[in-house]
Amino acid sequence: MSGIIRIFAECLALIFTNLLKNILTMKRKLLKSFLLAALTTMGMAAQAQSVFNGGFESCTPTAEDQNTKDGLAGIDYEAEGWKLDQQANWCNSAAFAFGSTTQLNGVTPPATDFDGFGGNGMGFTVGWSGTQTYKSASTLTLPAGKHVLLTYVYNANPTAQQINSKLAFVPTEGEAFESTVGNYPSGQWMVDYVVFELSAATEGYVQIGGQAVSGGSGANAKFFIDNVELTDEQGLEDALLAIKIKKVDENAALVEGATATSPKAAPFVVNGTFDSNINGWQRTGTFQNNARANNQQGDFTGYFWENWDPNPSANKMYQTIDYIPNGTYMLRIAAFVNNFADPNNCQFVFANSDKTFLTTGAPTFYEVWTVVSGNTMEIGLEQTEAVANWMGIDNVSLTYYGPGNVITQAQAGQHKVDYDAAKAEAKALLEDPSYMHMAITEEAEVLYTLYTTAEPTTPEGYDEATLALRDAINAFKAAKPAYDSYVAAVEAADVELPYADDAILDAIDNVEEPLTAAAAQAAANTIYKLLRQYYESNALATGRAQVENMSNLIVNNAEPTDTEGWTFTAGKFRILSNESWTDGQDNNTHSYFDSNSWGTAFASQFTQDVELTAGKYLFTAKARGNGTTTYQVIAKDKATDIMAIGNTGGIFDRGWNDWSVEFDVTEAKEIVTLGINVETGNSGNWVSFSDFRLVKIAEISTGITDVTNVQNRQAIYNLRGQRVEKAVKGLYIINGKKVVK
């Protein structure tokens, strides 16, 4: 019996709501007639008739697109009751037909007026602090008392809401009564109004329009107004209620059919993943950092919203959501605090008065169940005592379970919903191509085992299985960077250098394939260390017999403290050590030469002359750079281009790689120029280099230029600075020159 009564009550409520909407629509349509009748009684019918074309139906709508540029004024409608008043460059205004394709500075008017009918509205676009207004073509006299001037506004600019409303009653003498609205929400109708009280009968004008807040027209609302009305406080309440009903109806349509056992995702949270900075969110308290960050993991993904201050304080991070259908909701939100209260009675996520206390300081998902009864909800993270000084939230969403309080029924069904969602995420991860290199790992095995386990049959079983799946999902995702590092190390080690110690490659091949994230990171570190040793062995040609290390002939060749021994033709070179390379023994404390073109571009040769005997030589330097036009390691008449990859990556970290050039000395004794050739090109480029090494790799009989086939062999390097046997496709350095294959 109680079910029948509930259904009957819901039917009555629906009938009453529709009846109320129809009454309000009729009331607005008849309002101008009522107003004219009232003004006629007070002897002001003539003024009212000439002033109020409040729906702009007497204005001929423009058939041409209205844009902005220097000198445009807008269209005047004085004969129809609205006189163009204030005008500015880069502003425009005109009457538009609802539903037309005629554009107002790149946007079109809404399909219908607020009530769903056709007709006309007045469109405004403003920019660069400009003001564009109309005033009623003739004055009207209002009696003493309280009045309300209102209009319906639609902002068609999807990317900007700011505007200074210029809706006002302007007495012929004295101060104007002006709206204080500074924001028109995008893509929806709203009521703009001003309430004012007159101590005596007052003559004045009605004014409509707007002023740009900042920036050009694209940074301000582009809006259409309709139904300019003078009414009383009851009329204002009716208008605001009509707006509320309309918006609630629109949002209710988005979750239509939701039930306790078949909920719907409720798309009412604005910017819940903080892809649009922190738009839509507010906070209490003052913080040095109130912005996005991406330095947390766990249940945070990508950007999250952080509040940080040196001193902890009680505060709240929240969003108010209006005009949503009443009923049962579940808030899902990931939250973080750097200092967790234990026991915790002051840090919680909330939805209206319902809250869930945090159980850890790490980024973790929480759920809050609530029943909305006033078509509004406030959600967020709150700390009521000064414990944490760093708080954050991410991945905020709402689920709707239908009208009324159905929390008990919804929670019973939610056990399976949560489990199914976790299984779906696990399946997506296991099938994700970007995780394929983790297929044979302990993390993947755990996740796959849980995914293929038989589905539970009890609420408790669902909860336990869901928790296990979530833990495995998080562990699987958290392990990916370590395996990515391992794969990158293996790929980097797929190289053969002509003079390196091949035993080091054998050691790399013997690194055991990892099955855990910890082992993957350790293996990556080992491979990179060995790989650095491999490159260093190539620079000293330790993989070849009868090699002579001649590096000591280069003055100040490594760990420089000044530029002694070196000459340079332009620029200014300094000694730095703050972004050193990591060598084959994991030492990352080295000094190096550095120069930049912060002030202006420059070209320079940084060189040293060395006397050498006849032979074949290998000259190597560690180098890195950013955006250079020409950057080479040079020896005698030979040069090898250096890939400037910035200050990240590289075999030796922070952008550092070894770059080598081979050359011949054919005379018994010869002065050879060694060093770096650089042309920075654009201002703002920089270069760093050091650790010059020189080895004689073969003897040459005096006067003979080509004893071996070494010079005919192509030296091919990829973007990582790795020597490869064959160029397949992409950008390479071949025999010291950049080549695109």
Side-chain angles (χ1 to χ4, degrees), residues 253-425:
L254 300 177
V255 291
E256 184 176 2
T259 65
T261 56
S262 181
K264 294 286 184 73
F268 307 140
V269 178
V270 176
N271 192 26
T273 53
F274 302 100
D275 296 323
S276 301
N277 211 324
I278 58 172
N279 295 336
W281 293 88
Q282 297 174 281
R283 49 96 171 109
T284 60
T286 302
F287 299 90
Q288 284 190 14
N289 287 358
N290 173 44
R292 293 193 304 176
N294 59 1
N295 56 353
Q296 293 290 326
Q297 296 182 349
D299 286 326
F300 283 5
T301 54
Y303 284 111
F304 66 95
W305 177 28
E306 70 167 0
N307 277 341
W308 178 89
D309 197 75
N311 302 310
S313 63
N315 60 82
K316 179 170 65 173
M317 308 169 71
Y318 69 99
Q319 180 175 133
T320 301
I321 307 172
D322 293 319
Y323 310 120
I324 59 176
N326 291 331
T328 298
Y329 289 83
M330 182 192 69
L331 167 69
R332 193 164 190 259
I333 178 173
F336 153 83
V337 292
N338 69 328
N339 289 322
F340 176 62
D342 189 12
N344 179 19
N345 57 4
C346 63
Q347 297 168 328
F348 53 86
V349 292
F350 66 91
N352 286 342
S353 60
D354 297 298
K355 61 187 70 171
T356 297
F357 285 91
L358 273 57
T359 57
T360 179
T364 303
F365 270 118
Y366 299 93
E367 295 178 357
V368 185
W369 292 83
T370 192
V371 177
V372 172
S373 59
N375 303 111
T376 188
M377 185 192 311
E378 184 178 279
I379 60 174
L381 168 65
E382 185 170 2
Q383 174 177 260
T384 56
E385 296 179 13
V387 178
N389 68 322
W390 187 17
M391 303 168 58
I393 58 175
D394 192 16
N395 296 324
V396 186
S397 63
L398 286 172
T399 304
Y400 182 61
Y401 293 84
N405 184 347
V406 293
I407 290 179
T408 301
Q409 303 94 305
Q411 286 181 336
Q414 189 63 35
H415 296 290
K416 177 174 170 52
V417 171
D418 291 343
Y419 173 77
D420 288 343
K423 279 201 70 174
E425 185 175 357

Side-chain angles (χ1 to χ4, degrees), residues 384-565:
T384 56
E385 296 179 13
V387 178
N389 68 322
W390 187 17
M391 303 168 58
I393 58 175
D394 192 16
N395 296 324
V396 186
S397 63
L398 286 172
T399 304
Y400 182 61
Y401 293 84
N405 184 347
V406 293
I407 290 179
T408 301
Q409 303 94 305
Q411 286 181 336
Q414 189 63 35
H415 296 290
K416 177 174 170 52
V417 171
D418 291 343
Y419 173 77
D420 288 343
K423 279 201 70 174
E425 185 175 357
K427 182 176 185 293
L429 285 172
L430 291 169
E431 295 177 350
D432 188 337
S434 67
Y435 284 85
M436 286 299 102
H437 58 297
M438 295 175 57
I440 307 175
T441 64
E442 289 186 9
E443 291 86 358
E445 183 179 358
V446 170
L447 184 59
Y448 181 77
T449 299
L450 290 171
Y451 173 73
T452 55
T453 299
E455 184 171 333
T457 58
T458 65
E460 294 78 12
Y462 277 119
D463 290 345
E464 183 178 343
T466 301
L467 180 61
L469 273 169
R470 288 289 174 200
D471 287 344
I473 287 169
N474 290 336
F476 191 66
K477 292 191 292 186
K480 187 175 186 294
Y483 288 105
D484 289 347
S485 181
Y486 170 73
V487 169
V490 170
E491 291 176 350
D494 185 18
V495 61
E496 291 186 12
L497 301 177
Y499 307 113
D501 184 353
D502 291 339
I504 301 176
L505 281 186
D506 294 337
I508 292 175
D509 291 339
N510 290 330
V511 174
E512 188 174 349
E513 187 170 350
L515 297 178
T516 67
Q521 191 59 64
N525 295 341
T526 298
I527 291 173
Y528 276 118
K529 181 176 180 178
L530 290 169
L531 190 57
R532 290 191 287 269
Q533 294 175 8
Y534 184 64
Y535 273 83
E536 289 172 343
S537 74
N538 184 74
L540 296 178
T542 59
R544 298 293 179 265
Q546 298 180 339
V547 170
E548 186 177 359
N549 187 348
M550 314 289 285
S551 302
N552 63 323
L553 297 180
I554 304 173
V555 178
N556 203 11
N557 72 305
E559 306 297 346
T561 58
D562 53 37
T563 57
E564 179 187 358

